[in-house]
């Protein structure tokens, strides 16, 4: 479920209390409030960050939609922890 104040960033907490050592970027596949339309977005982990930030566009200029059980993200994010 995506709710609250809609934003360009969808955040996934880095588990286990780990903190990212440096900035890392990548891509992932997502479906925003649809189970039929998929697109490619960008990932970002900031140095010292505690979350993986997901953006629908490389320009971080499109908000995620409010959704219940219709937003999906798929991908692999690799980053060094400290």
């Amino acid at each position: 479920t995506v709710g609250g104040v809609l934003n360009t960033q969808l955040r996934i907490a880095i588990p286990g209390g780990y903190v990212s050592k440096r900035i890392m970027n990548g891509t992932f596949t997502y479906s925003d409030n649809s189970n039929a339309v998929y697109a490619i977005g960008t990932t970002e982990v900031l140095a010292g960050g505690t979350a993986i930030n997901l953006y629908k566009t490389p320009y971080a200029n499109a908000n995620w939609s409010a959704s219940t059980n219709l937003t999906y993200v798929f991908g692999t994010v690799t980053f060094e922890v400290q």
Side-chain angles (χ1 to χ4, degrees), residues 17-61:
Y18 289 102
V19 175
S20 172
K21 186 168 184 176
R22 58 181 50 109
I23 295 172
M24 294 296 292
N25 294 290
T27 59
F28 72 105
T29 303
Y30 72 89
S31 177
D32 184 26
N33 199 24
S34 168
N35 61 0
V37 178
Y38 290 87
I40 303 295
T42 58
T43 62
E44 171 191 64
V45 179
L46 298 175
T50 58
I52 302 162
N53 306 315
L54 307 177
Y55 299 97
K56 292 171 57 174
T57 71
Y59 310 107
N61 62 358

Side-chain angles (χ1 to χ4, degrees), residues 51-77:
I52 302 162
N53 306 315
L54 307 177
Y55 299 97
K56 292 171 57 174
T57 71
Y59 310 107
N61 62 358
N63 281 349
W64 289 89
S65 302
S67 171
T68 301
N69 300 329
L70 282 176
T71 295
Y72 303 93
V73 296
F74 307 93
T76 301
V77 179

